[in-house]
Amino acid sequence: MIVYHFCTSVNEANAYLIIDAENKEGLLIDVPTWTEGMQKVLDEYKAKLVGVFITHEHYDHTSGLSELYKIYPNIKRYPQKEFFNDPENEKYNKLTVGQWEGTILSLPGHTAESVGLYIGNVVFTGDALFAGSVGGTVSPQEAKQQIEAIQKKILILPEDTLILTGHGPASSVGIEKKFNPFLQNNNSG
Amino acid sequence: MSVIAVVKYEFESSPDTKQGRVLQMPSSISMELQQQIRSGSLQGACLQYVNLMGVWLEGIDFSGADLTNACFEFAVLSSCNFQDCKLEKANLKRANLIGANLNGAHLRNADLYYARLTCASLKKADLSNANLERTILRCADLSGARLTNARGNPVIDRTKMEGIIQ
């Protein structure tokens, strides 16, 4: 599995392109903008874009959708609406990119519909979790909800799981468990 | 709208080997340097102008190394030991330096834009003329650090700043 990380000029939001080179399939994670560089990567691997995964509905993660739909009008969007009614239902919380199966994780807090994707040894966290920090929330209740979701869905993953976030650099589950001040037991972040 | 930077992560593991995340080193890095990185120690190495953009370097011991003008943009440098390193004019933009040891490091004119230094230790580091715009210094220790003409608006939150030199 290969992952391309694009740091874009849209609020420095990250987009990612997962490529299964063997099976020539790709999945786009967030679309702050759609660029020729992304298409070039797909072309280089002769990969078919099988879907677009949106971590949450903020403009800096979706602004490129309209451009993407012009080029790929029938592209499948993840998560499907049904996911939010039943996040544990495997009919809606699974997706595949070539030989790789991913699990969609509900991570409410930054927004009610925030989601992540665990695929291979990588978890994409959108704006729920950053290297050394967590996403902004509008109330203490949502902040608590977000921390609980991170603890239950992400910190249980193997410590060497790579974390790729909506903004900023990569991290790992082990690094975040050890250092992220928002995730320590006293939640004093 | 444009792309500011691109990083490629290539995994050696397959869906059948769930254990371990093995990231391949970029082919642009020499075999000799790849071996040194895998050994976990680059103590005292001379790596001026080296380009390690986006490379996973967690926990590497760089102590005493000369990393003048090196590029570490988007690199994962968490828990690395940069004690007494020369990092003048180094590009550390958007790097993950969480929990890194930068005590006594020479960071004059270094670019730490949007770098994550949460829980990092920068005791007596020289950050003269460094770019600290959006640099996250939450829970970092800057005791005795030199910040003469450092610029930008870093995130200061529970940051130890006793004895800093402005």
Side-chain angles (χ1 to χ4, degrees):
Chain A
M1 190 169 90
I2 299 163
V3 179
Y4 279 82
H5 168 182
F6 299 89
C7 174
T8 74
S9 62
V10 186
N11 201 20
E12 296 210 13
N14 295 327
Y16 299 95
L17 197 47
I18 301 172
I19 301 285
D20 180 339
E22 198 176 316
N23 292 281
K24 302 189 187 311
E25 287 192 353
L27 177 77
L28 185 62
I29 312 284
D30 283 341
V31 205
T33 182
W34 172 254
T35 71
E36 283 182 17
M38 296 171 185
Q39 185 61 55
K40 271 187 184 173
V41 170
L42 289 166
D43 293 344
E44 182 185 341
Y45 292 95
K46 297 182 173 61
K48 178 191 172 192
L49 192 62
V50 295
V52 56
F53 181 91
I54 300 296
T55 60
H56 63 295
E57 287 289 338
H58 285 166
Y59 81 98
D60 53 344
H61 298 263
T62 60
S63 290
L65 270 174
S66 55
E67 192 63 30
L68 180 70
Y69 283 136
K70 283 181 194 168
I71 301 161
Y72 296 97
N74 300 315
I75 192 169
K76 196 163 184 178
R77 178 171 167 166
Y78 297 99
Q80 300 171 70
K81 286 176 186 169
E82 292 86 349
F83 167 84
F84 297 103
N85 298 327
D86 190 4
E88 301 306 318
N89 187 336
E90 292 195 359
K91 190 174 173 187
Y92 304 114
N93 73 6
K94 300 289 183 190
L95 61 79
T96 56
V97 188
Q99 63 187 320
W100 299 88
E101 183 181 76
T103 303
I104 303 170
L105 310 173
S106 177
L107 302 170
H110 181 65
T111 70
E113 294 82 24
S114 287
V115 289
L117 177 66
Y118 178 46
I119 185 165
N121 293 313
V122 184
V123 61
F124 297 89
T125 61
D127 284 3
L129 175 63
F130 302 119
S133 186
V134 294
T137 52
V138 295
S139 72
Q141 289 78 14
E142 282 156 336
K144 187 173 176 228
Q145 188 183 27
Q146 180 168 254
I147 297 293
E148 285 175 358
I150 292 166
Q151 287 172 334
K152 286 179 183 169
K153 303 283 177 61
I154 297 173
L155 299 191
I156 59 160
L157 300 174
E159 295 211 345
D160 66 352
T161 304
L162 183 69
I163 295 175
L164 294 176
T165 67
H167 300 268
S171 189
S172 73
V173 169
I175 293 170
E176 295 311 306
K177 279 169 87 167
K178 188 173 180 183
F179 292 113
N180 191 320
F182 295 88
L183 303 177
Q184 303 310 306
N185 288 335
N186 60 5
N187 282 347
S188 61
Chain B
M1 303 302 177
S2 60
V3 170
I4 296 168
V6 181
V7 178
K8 180 183 175 185
Y9 307 99
E10 193 160 357
F11 298 85
E12 292 173 352
S13 53
S14 74
D16 301 326
T17 56
K18 290 289 184 190
Q19 293 180 352
R21 164 184 45 75
V22 183
L23 274 169
Q24 287 183 4
M25 294 276 175
S27 55
S28 56
I29 300 175
S30 71
M31 291 305 291
E32 185 186 354
L33 181 52
Q34 287 192 31
Q35 284 173 0
Q36 286 179 295
I37 291 169
R38 288 199 178 95
S39 77
S41 179
L42 285 160
Q43 268 184 299
C46 184
L47 293 167
Q48 291 185 9
Y49 291 95
V50 71
N51 184 358
L52 293 168
M53 182 178 175
V55 177
W56 195 279
L57 298 163
E58 181 186 357
I60 303 283
D61 185 358
F62 288 97
S63 55
D66 185 351
L67 301 162
T68 305
N69 284 299
C71 176
F72 289 106
E73 187 169 1
F74 273 117
V76 176
L77 303 163
S78 181
S79 298
C80 283
N81 183 3
F82 289 104
Q83 176 118 17
D84 300 323
C85 274
K86 290 181 183 173
L87 282 156
E88 282 96 344
K89 298 182 185 174
N91 176 356
L92 292 155
K93 288 190 287 187
R94 306 177 185 88
N96 177 345
L97 284 152
I98 295 171
N101 174 5
L102 290 142
N103 295 337
H106 303 277
L107 289 148
R108 287 184 293 272
N109 293 295
D111 193 346
L112 287 149
Y113 172 80
Y114 210 8
R116 312 257 167 167
L117 287 137
T118 305
C119 299
S121 187
L122 295 116
K123 292 177 198 167
K124 296 187 176 176
D126 185 353
L127 291 148
S128 305
N129 297 301
N131 180 10
L132 298 178
E133 180 64 22
R134 299 183 76 186
T135 306
I136 297 172
L137 294 166
R138 182 173 287 118
C139 303
D141 187 348
L142 273 76
S143 304
R146 181 177 291 277
L147 290 156
T148 311
N149 295 323
R151 59 194 188 282
N153 293 296
V155 175
I156 302 291
D157 173 19
R158 285 162 286 170
T159 309
K160 288 184 188 171
M161 301 186 75
E162 290 86 3
I164 60 162
I165 303 161
Q166 292 279 11

Coordinates of all heavy atoms in Angstrom, one line a residue, chain A residues 50-124:
Chain A
V50 N -11.5 4.6 -6.8 CA -12.8 3.8 -6.5 C -13.7 4.6 -5.5 O -14.8 4.1 -5.3 CB -12.4 2.4 -5.9 CG1 -11.7 1.6 -6.9 CG2 -11.6 2.5 -4.6
G51 N -13.2 5.7 -5.0 CA -14.1 6.4 -4.1 C -13.4 7.6 -3.5 O -12.2 7.8 -3.6
V52 N -14.2 8.4 -2.8 CA -13.7 9.5 -2.0 C -14.3 9.4 -0.6 O -15.5 9.2 -0.5 CB -14.0 10.9 -2.7 CG1 -15.5 11.1 -3.0 CG2 -13.5 12.0 -1.9
F53 N -13.4 9.6 0.3 CA -13.7 9.4 1.7 C -13.6 10.8 2.4 O -12.6 11.4 2.3 CB -12.8 8.5 2.4 CG -13.1 8.2 3.9 CD1 -14.0 7.2 4.2 CD2 -12.6 9.0 4.9 CE1 -14.3 6.9 5.6 CE2 -12.8 8.8 6.2 CZ -13.7 7.8 6.6
I54 N -14.7 11.3 2.9 CA -14.7 12.6 3.5 C -14.8 12.5 5.1 O -15.7 11.9 5.6 CB -16.0 13.4 3.1 CG1 -15.9 13.6 1.5 CG2 -16.0 14.8 3.8 CD1 -14.7 14.4 1.0
T55 N -13.7 13.0 5.7 CA -13.7 12.9 7.2 C -14.7 13.7 7.9 O -15.1 13.4 9.0 CB -12.3 13.2 7.7 OG1 -11.9 14.6 7.4 CG2 -11.2 12.3 7.1
H56 N -15.0 14.9 7.4 CA -16.0 15.7 7.9 C -16.3 16.8 6.9 O -15.6 17.1 6.0 CB -15.7 16.3 9.3 CG -14.4 17.2 9.3 ND1 -13.2 16.7 9.0 CD2 -14.3 18.5 9.6 CE1 -12.3 17.7 9.1 NE2 -13.0 18.8 9.4
E57 N -17.4 17.5 7.2 CA -18.0 18.4 6.2 C -17.5 19.8 6.2 O -18.1 20.7 5.6 CB -19.5 18.5 6.3 CG -20.2 17.2 5.9 CD -20.2 17.0 4.4 OE1 -20.0 18.0 3.7 OE2 -20.4 15.9 4.0
H58 N -16.3 20.1 6.8 CA -15.8 21.5 6.7 C -15.2 21.8 5.4 O -14.6 20.9 4.7 CB -14.8 21.7 7.8 CG -15.4 21.8 9.2 ND1 -14.7 21.7 10.4 CD2 -16.7 22.0 9.6 CE1 -15.6 21.9 11.4 NE2 -16.8 22.1 10.9
Y59 N -15.3 23.1 5.0 CA -14.9 23.5 3.6 C -13.5 23.1 3.3 O -13.2 22.8 2.1 CB -15.1 25.0 3.5 CG -13.9 25.8 4.0 CD1 -12.9 26.3 3.2 CD2 -13.8 26.1 5.4 CE1 -11.8 27.0 3.7 CE2 -12.8 26.8 5.9 CZ -11.8 27.2 5.0 OH -10.7 27.9 5.5
D60 N -12.6 23.2 4.3 CA -11.2 22.9 4.0 C -10.9 21.4 3.7 O -9.8 21.0 3.5 CB -10.3 23.5 5.1 CG -10.6 23.1 6.5 OD1 -11.7 22.6 6.7 OD2 -9.8 23.3 7.4
H61 N -12.0 20.6 3.8 CA -11.8 19.2 3.5 C -12.7 18.8 2.3 O -12.6 17.6 1.9 CB -12.1 18.3 4.8 CG -11.1 18.6 5.9 ND1 -10.0 17.9 6.1 CD2 -11.1 19.7 6.7 CE1 -9.3 18.4 7.1 NE2 -10.0 19.5 7.5
T62 N -13.5 19.7 1.9 CA -14.5 19.3 0.8 C -14.5 20.3 -0.4 O -15.2 20.0 -1.4 CB -15.9 19.3 1.4 OG1 -16.2 20.6 1.9 CG2 -16.1 18.3 2.5
S63 N -13.7 21.4 -0.3 CA -13.8 22.4 -1.4 C -13.6 21.9 -2.8 O -14.0 22.4 -3.8 CB -12.9 23.5 -1.1 OG -13.3 24.3 0.0
G64 N -12.8 20.8 -2.9 CA -12.5 20.3 -4.2 C -13.5 19.3 -4.7 O -13.3 18.7 -5.9
L65 N -14.5 19.0 -4.0 CA -15.5 18.0 -4.4 C -16.1 18.3 -5.7 O -16.3 17.4 -6.6 CB -16.6 17.8 -3.3 CG -16.3 16.7 -2.3 CD1 -17.4 16.7 -1.2 CD2 -16.1 15.3 -2.8
S66 N -16.5 19.5 -5.9 CA -17.2 19.9 -7.2 C -16.3 19.6 -8.4 O -16.8 19.1 -9.4 CB -17.7 21.3 -7.1 OG -16.7 22.2 -6.9
E67 N -15.1 20.0 -8.2 CA -14.1 19.7 -9.3 C -13.9 18.2 -9.6 O -13.9 17.8 -10.7 CB -12.8 20.4 -9.0 CG -11.8 20.5 -10.1 CD -12.3 21.4 -11.3 OE1 -13.1 22.3 -11.0 OE2 -11.9 21.1 -12.4
L68 N -13.8 17.5 -8.5 CA -13.7 16.1 -8.6 C -14.9 15.4 -9.3 O -14.7 14.5 -10.1 CB -13.5 15.5 -7.1 CG -13.3 14.0 -7.1 CD1 -12.0 13.5 -7.6 CD2 -13.5 13.5 -5.6
Y69 N -16.1 15.9 -8.9 CA -17.3 15.3 -9.5 C -17.4 15.6 -11.0 O -18.0 14.8 -11.8 CB -18.5 15.8 -8.8 CG -18.8 15.1 -7.5 CD1 -19.2 15.9 -6.4 CD2 -18.7 13.7 -7.4 CE1 -19.4 15.3 -5.2 CE2 -18.9 13.1 -6.1 CZ -19.3 13.9 -5.0 OH -19.5 13.3 -3.8
K70 N -16.7 16.7 -11.4 CA -16.7 17.0 -12.9 C -15.9 15.9 -13.6 O -16.3 15.5 -14.8 CB -16.1 18.4 -13.1 CG -17.0 19.5 -12.8 CD -16.2 20.8 -13.2 CE -16.9 22.0 -12.5 NZ -16.1 23.2 -12.6
I71 N -14.9 15.4 -13.0 CA -14.0 14.5 -13.7 C -14.5 13.0 -13.4 O -14.4 12.2 -14.3 CB -12.5 14.6 -13.1 CG1 -12.1 16.1 -13.5 CG2 -11.6 13.6 -13.8 CD1 -10.9 16.5 -12.6
Y72 N -15.0 12.8 -12.2 CA -15.5 11.5 -11.8 C -16.9 11.6 -11.3 O -17.2 11.6 -10.1 CB -14.6 10.9 -10.7 CG -13.2 10.6 -11.1 CD1 -12.2 11.6 -10.7 CD2 -12.8 9.5 -11.7 CE1 -10.9 11.3 -11.1 CE2 -11.5 9.2 -12.1 CZ -10.5 10.1 -11.7 OH -9.2 9.9 -12.1
P73 N -17.9 11.8 -12.3 CA -19.3 12.1 -11.9 C -19.9 10.9 -11.1 O -20.8 11.2 -10.3 CB -20.0 12.3 -13.2 CG -19.1 11.8 -14.2 CD -17.7 11.9 -13.7
N74 N -19.4 9.7 -11.3 CA -20.1 8.6 -10.6 C -19.3 8.0 -9.5 O -19.5 6.9 -9.0 CB -20.4 7.5 -11.6 CG -21.3 8.0 -12.7 OD1 -22.3 8.6 -12.5 ND2 -20.9 7.7 -14.0
I75 N -18.3 8.8 -9.0 CA -17.4 8.3 -7.9 C -18.2 8.0 -6.7 O -19.2 8.8 -6.3 CB -16.3 9.3 -7.7 CG1 -15.2 8.6 -6.8 CG2 -16.8 10.6 -7.1 CD1 -13.9 9.4 -6.7
K76 N -17.9 7.0 -6.0 CA -18.6 6.6 -4.8 C -18.1 7.4 -3.6 O -16.9 7.6 -3.5 CB -18.4 5.1 -4.5 CG -19.4 4.5 -3.5 CD -19.4 3.0 -3.6 CE -20.4 2.4 -2.6 NZ -20.5 1.0 -2.7
R77 N -19.0 7.9 -2.8 CA -18.6 8.7 -1.7 C -18.8 7.9 -0.4 O -19.8 7.2 -0.2 CB -19.4 10.0 -1.6 CG -19.1 10.8 -0.4 CD -19.7 12.2 -0.5 NE -19.6 12.8 0.8 CZ -19.8 14.1 1.1 NH1 -20.2 14.9 0.1 NH2 -19.7 14.6 2.3
Y78 N -17.8 8.0 0.5 CA -17.8 7.3 1.8 C -17.6 8.4 2.9 O -16.9 9.4 2.7 CB -16.6 6.3 1.9 CG -16.7 5.2 1.0 CD1 -15.9 5.2 -0.2 CD2 -17.5 4.1 1.2 CE1 -16.0 4.1 -1.1 CE2 -17.6 3.0 0.3 CZ -16.8 3.0 -0.8 OH -16.8 2.0 -1.7
P79 N -18.2 8.2 4.1 CA -19.2 7.1 4.4 C -20.5 7.3 3.7 O -20.9 8.4 3.4 CB -19.4 7.2 5.9 CG -18.4 8.2 6.4 CD -18.0 9.0 5.2
Q80 N -21.2 6.2 3.5 CA -22.6 6.3 3.0 C -23.4 6.9 4.1 O -23.1 6.8 5.3 CB -23.1 5.0 2.5 CG -22.2 4.3 1.4 CD -22.6 2.9 1.2 OE1 -23.7 2.6 0.7 NE2 -21.8 2.0 1.6
K81 N -24.6 7.5 3.7 CA -25.5 8.1 4.7 C -25.9 7.1 5.7 O -26.1 7.5 6.9 CB -26.7 8.7 4.0 CG -26.4 10.0 3.2 CD -27.6 10.5 2.5 CE -27.2 11.7 1.6 NZ -28.3 12.1 0.6
E82 N -26.1 5.9 5.3 CA -26.6 4.9 6.2 C -25.7 4.6 7.4 O -26.1 4.1 8.4 CB -26.9 3.6 5.4 CG -28.1 3.6 4.5 CD -27.6 4.2 3.1 OE1 -26.5 4.7 3.0 OE2 -28.4 4.1 2.2
F83 N -24.4 4.9 7.1 CA -23.4 4.6 8.2 C -23.7 5.3 9.5 O -23.6 4.8 10.6 CB -22.0 5.1 7.7 CG -20.9 5.2 8.8 CD1 -20.2 4.0 9.2 CD2 -20.7 6.4 9.4 CE1 -19.3 4.1 10.2 CE2 -19.8 6.4 10.5 CZ -19.1 5.3 10.8
F84 N -24.2 6.6 9.3 CA -24.4 7.4 10.5 C -25.6 6.9 11.4 O -25.7 7.2 12.6 CB -24.6 8.9 10.1 CG -23.4 9.4 9.5 CD1 -23.3 9.6 8.1 CD2 -22.3 9.7 10.2 CE1 -22.2 10.1 7.5 CE2 -21.1 10.2 9.6 CZ -21.1 10.4 8.3
N85 N -26.5 6.1 10.8 CA -27.6 5.5 11.5 C -27.1 4.3 12.3 O -27.7 4.0 13.3 CB -28.7 5.1 10.6 CG -29.3 6.3 9.9 OD1 -29.4 7.4 10.4 ND2 -29.7 6.1 8.6
D86 N -26.1 3.6 11.8 CA -25.6 2.4 12.4 C -24.2 2.2 12.2 O -23.7 1.4 11.4 CB -26.5 1.2 11.8 CG -26.2 -0.1 12.6 OD1 -25.5 0.0 13.6 OD2 -26.8 -1.1 12.2
P87 N -23.3 3.0 12.9 CA -21.9 2.9 12.6 C -21.2 1.6 12.8 O -20.1 1.4 12.3 CB -21.3 4.0 13.6 CG -22.4 4.8 14.0 CD -23.7 3.9 14.0
E88 N -21.8 0.7 13.6 CA -21.2 -0.6 13.8 C -21.6 -1.6 12.8 O -21.1 -2.8 12.8 CB -21.6 -1.1 15.2 CG -21.1 -0.2 16.4 CD -19.7 0.2 16.3 OE1 -18.9 -0.7 16.1 OE2 -19.3 1.4 16.5
N89 N -22.5 -1.3 11.9 CA -23.0 -2.2 10.9 C -22.0 -2.4 9.8 O -21.6 -1.4 9.1 CB -24.3 -1.7 10.3 CG -25.0 -2.7 9.3 OD1 -24.3 -3.6 8.8 ND2 -26.3 -2.5 9.2
E90 N -21.5 -3.6 9.7 CA -20.4 -3.9 8.7 C -20.8 -3.7 7.2 O -19.9 -3.6 6.4 CB -19.8 -5.3 8.9 CG -19.1 -5.4 10.2 CD -18.2 -6.6 10.3 OE1 -18.2 -7.4 9.4 OE2 -17.6 -6.8 11.4
K91 N -22.1 -3.6 7.0 CA -22.5 -3.3 5.7 C -22.2 -1.9 5.2 O -22.0 -1.6 4.1 CB -24.1 -3.5 5.6 CG -24.7 -3.5 4.2 CD -26.1 -3.8 4.3 CE -26.8 -3.6 2.9 NZ -28.3 -3.8 3.0
Y92 N -22.0 -1.0 6.2 CA -21.8 0.4 5.9 C -20.4 0.9 6.5 O -20.0 1.9 6.1 CB -22.9 1.3 6.5 CG -24.2 0.9 6.0 CD1 -25.2 0.4 6.8 CD2 -24.5 1.0 4.6 CE1 -26.4 0.0 6.3 CE2 -25.8 0.6 4.1 CZ -26.7 0.1 5.0 OH -27.9 -0.3 4.5
N93 N -19.8 0.1 7.4 CA -18.6 0.7 7.9 C -17.3 0.0 7.3 O -16.2 0.1 7.9 CB -18.5 0.6 9.5 CG -18.4 -0.8 10.0 OD1 -18.2 -1.8 9.3 ND2 -18.5 -1.0 11.3
K94 N -17.5 -0.7 6.3 CA -16.3 -1.3 5.6 C -16.2 -0.8 4.2 O -17.2 -0.4 3.5 CB -16.5 -2.8 5.5 CG -16.6 -3.6 6.8 CD -15.3 -3.6 7.6 CE -15.4 -4.4 8.9 NZ -14.3 -4.2 9.7
L95 N -15.0 -0.7 3.7 CA -14.7 -0.3 2.3 C -13.4 -1.0 1.9 O -12.6 -1.4 2.7 CB -14.6 1.2 2.1 CG -13.5 2.0 2.8 CD1 -12.2 1.9 2.1 CD2 -13.9 3.5 2.9
T96 N -13.3 -1.2 0.6 CA -12.1 -1.8 0.1 C -11.4 -1.0 -1.0 O -12.0 -0.3 -1.8 CB -12.4 -3.2 -0.5 OG1 -13.3 -3.1 -1.5 CG2 -12.9 -4.2 0.5
V97 N -10.1 -1.0 -0.9 CA -9.2 -0.5 -2.0 C -8.3 -1.6 -2.4 O -7.4 -2.0 -1.7 CB -8.4 0.7 -1.4 CG1 -7.7 1.4 -2.6 CG2 -9.2 1.7 -0.6
G98 N -8.6 -2.2 -3.6 CA -7.8 -3.3 -4.0 C -8.0 -4.4 -3.0 O -9.1 -4.8 -2.6
Q99 N -6.8 -4.9 -2.5 CA -6.8 -6.0 -1.5 C -7.0 -5.5 -0.1 O -7.0 -6.4 0.8 CB -5.5 -6.8 -1.7 CG -4.3 -6.0 -1.3 CD -3.0 -6.7 -1.6 OE1 -2.9 -7.9 -1.4 NE2 -2.0 -6.0 -2.2
W100 N -7.0 -4.2 0.1 CA -7.1 -3.7 1.5 C -8.5 -3.4 1.9 O -9.3 -2.7 1.2 CB -6.3 -2.4 1.6 CG -4.8 -2.6 1.2 CD1 -4.3 -2.6 0.0 CD2 -3.8 -3.0 2.1 NE1 -2.9 -2.9 0.1 CE2 -2.6 -3.1 1.4 CE3 -3.7 -3.2 3.5 CZ2 -1.4 -3.4 1.9 CZ3 -2.5 -3.5 4.1 CH2 -1.4 -3.6 3.3
E101 N -8.8 -3.9 3.1 CA -10.2 -3.6 3.6 C -10.0 -2.5 4.7 O -9.2 -2.7 5.6 CB -10.8 -4.8 4.2 CG -12.2 -4.5 4.7 CD -12.9 -5.7 5.3 OE1 -12.6 -6.1 6.4 OE2 -13.8 -6.3 4.6
G102 N -10.8 -1.5 4.7 CA -10.8 -0.5 5.7 C -12.0 -0.5 6.5 O -13.1 -0.9 6.1
T103 N -11.9 0.0 7.8 CA -13.0 0.2 8.7 C -13.2 1.6 9.0 O -12.3 2.3 9.4 CB -12.8 -0.6 10.0 OG1 -12.5 -2.0 9.7 CG2 -14.0 -0.5 10.9
I104 N -14.5 2.1 8.8 CA -14.8 3.5 9.1 C -15.1 3.6 10.6 O -15.8 2.8 11.2 CB -16.0 3.9 8.2 CG1 -15.7 3.7 6.8 CG2 -16.4 5.4 8.6 CD1 -16.9 3.9 5.8
L105 N -14.5 4.6 11.2 CA -14.6 4.8 12.6 C -15.4 6.1 12.9 O -15.1 7.2 12.3 CB -13.2 5.0 13.3 CG -12.2 3.9 12.9 CD1 -10.8 4.3 13.5 CD2 -12.6 2.6 13.5
S106 N -16.4 6.0 13.7 CA -17.2 7.2 14.1 C -16.4 8.0 15.2 O -16.0 7.4 16.2 CB -18.5 6.8 14.7 OG -19.3 7.9 15.1
L107 N -16.1 9.2 14.9 CA -15.3 10.0 15.8 C -15.9 11.4 16.1 O -15.4 12.5 15.8 CB -13.9 10.3 15.2 CG -13.0 9.0 14.9 CD1 -11.8 9.4 14.1 CD2 -12.6 8.3 16.2
P108 N -17.1 11.4 16.6 CA -17.8 12.7 16.8 C -17.2 13.6 17.8 O -16.5 13.1 18.7 CB -19.2 12.2 17.3 CG -19.0 10.9 18.0 CD -17.8 10.3 17.2
G109 N -17.4 14.9 17.6 CA -16.8 15.9 18.5 C -16.5 17.1 17.8 O -17.1 18.2 18.0
H110 N -15.5 17.1 16.9 CA -15.1 18.2 16.1 C -16.4 18.6 15.3 O -16.7 19.8 15.2 CB -14.0 17.9 15.2 CG -13.5 19.0 14.3 ND1 -13.0 20.2 14.8 CD2 -13.5 19.2 13.0 CE1 -12.6 21.0 13.8 NE2 -13.0 20.4 12.7
T111 N -17.0 17.6 14.7 CA -18.4 17.8 14.1 C -19.1 16.5 14.5 O -18.4 15.5 14.8 CB -18.4 17.9 12.6 OG1 -18.0 16.7 12.0 CG2 -17.5 19.0 12.1
A112 N -20.4 16.5 14.5 CA -21.2 15.3 14.9 C -20.9 14.2 14.0 O -21.0 13.0 14.4 CB -22.7 15.7 14.9
E113 N -20.6 14.5 12.7 CA -20.4 13.4 11.7 C -18.9 13.1 11.4 O -18.6 12.5 10.4 CB -21.1 13.7 10.4 CG -22.6 13.8 10.5 CD -23.1 15.1 11.0 OE1 -22.4 16.1 10.9 OE2 -24.2 15.2 11.6
S114 N -18.0 13.5 12.3 CA -16.6 13.3 12.0 C -16.3 11.8 12.0 O -16.8 11.1 12.9 CB -15.7 14.0 13.1 OG -15.7 15.4 12.9
V115 N -15.5 11.4 11.0 CA -15.2 9.9 10.9 C -13.7 9.8 10.6 O -13.0 10.7 10.2 CB -16.0 9.3 9.8 CG1 -17.4 9.1 10.2 CG2 -15.8 10.0 8.5
G116 N -13.2 8.6 10.9 CA -11.8 8.2 10.6 C -11.9 6.9 9.7 O -12.9 6.3 9.6
L117 N -10.7 6.6 9.2 CA -10.6 5.3 8.4 C -9.4 4.6 8.9 O -8.3 5.1 8.8 CB -10.6 5.6 7.0 CG -10.4 4.4 6.0 CD1 -11.6 3.5 6.1 CD2 -10.1 4.8 4.6
Y118 N -9.6 3.3 9.3 CA -8.5 2.4 9.7 C -8.3 1.4 8.5 O -9.2 0.6 8.3 CB -8.8 1.7 11.0 CG -7.7 0.8 11.5 CD1 -6.4 1.1 11.5 CD2 -8.1 -0.5 12.0 CE1 -5.4 0.2 12.0 CE2 -7.2 -1.4 12.4 CZ -5.8 -1.0 12.4 OH -4.9 -1.9 12.9
I119 N -7.1 1.5 7.9 CA -6.9 0.6 6.7 C -5.4 0.3 6.7 O -4.5 1.1 6.9 CB -7.3 1.3 5.4 CG1 -7.2 0.3 4.2 CG2 -6.6 2.6 5.2 CD1 -7.9 0.8 3.0
G120 N -5.1 -1.0 6.6 CA -3.7 -1.5 6.7 C -3.2 -1.1 8.1 O -3.8 -1.4 9.1
N121 N -2.0 -0.5 8.2 CA -1.5 -0.1 9.5 C -1.6 1.4 9.6 O -0.8 2.0 10.3 CB -0.1 -0.5 9.6 CG 0.0 -2.0 9.7 OD1 -0.7 -2.7 10.4 ND2 0.9 -2.6 8.9
V122 N -2.6 2.0 9.0 CA -2.8 3.5 9.0 C -4.2 3.8 9.5 O -5.1 3.1 9.1 CB -2.6 4.0 7.6 CG1 -2.6 5.6 7.6 CG2 -1.3 3.6 6.9
V123 N -4.3 4.9 10.3 CA -5.6 5.4 10.6 C -5.6 6.9 10.2 O -4.7 7.7 10.5 CB -5.9 5.2 12.1 CG1 -5.0 5.9 13.1 CG2 -7.4 5.6 12.4
F124 N -6.6 7.2 9.4 CA -6.8 8.6 9.0 C -7.8 9.2 10.0 O -8.9 8.7 10.2 CB -7.4 8.7 7.6 CG -6.4 8.1 6.5 CD1 -6.4 6.8 6.2 CD2 -5.5 8.9 5.9 CE1 -5.6 6.2 5.3 CE2 -4.6 8.4 5.0 CZ -4.6 7.1 4.7

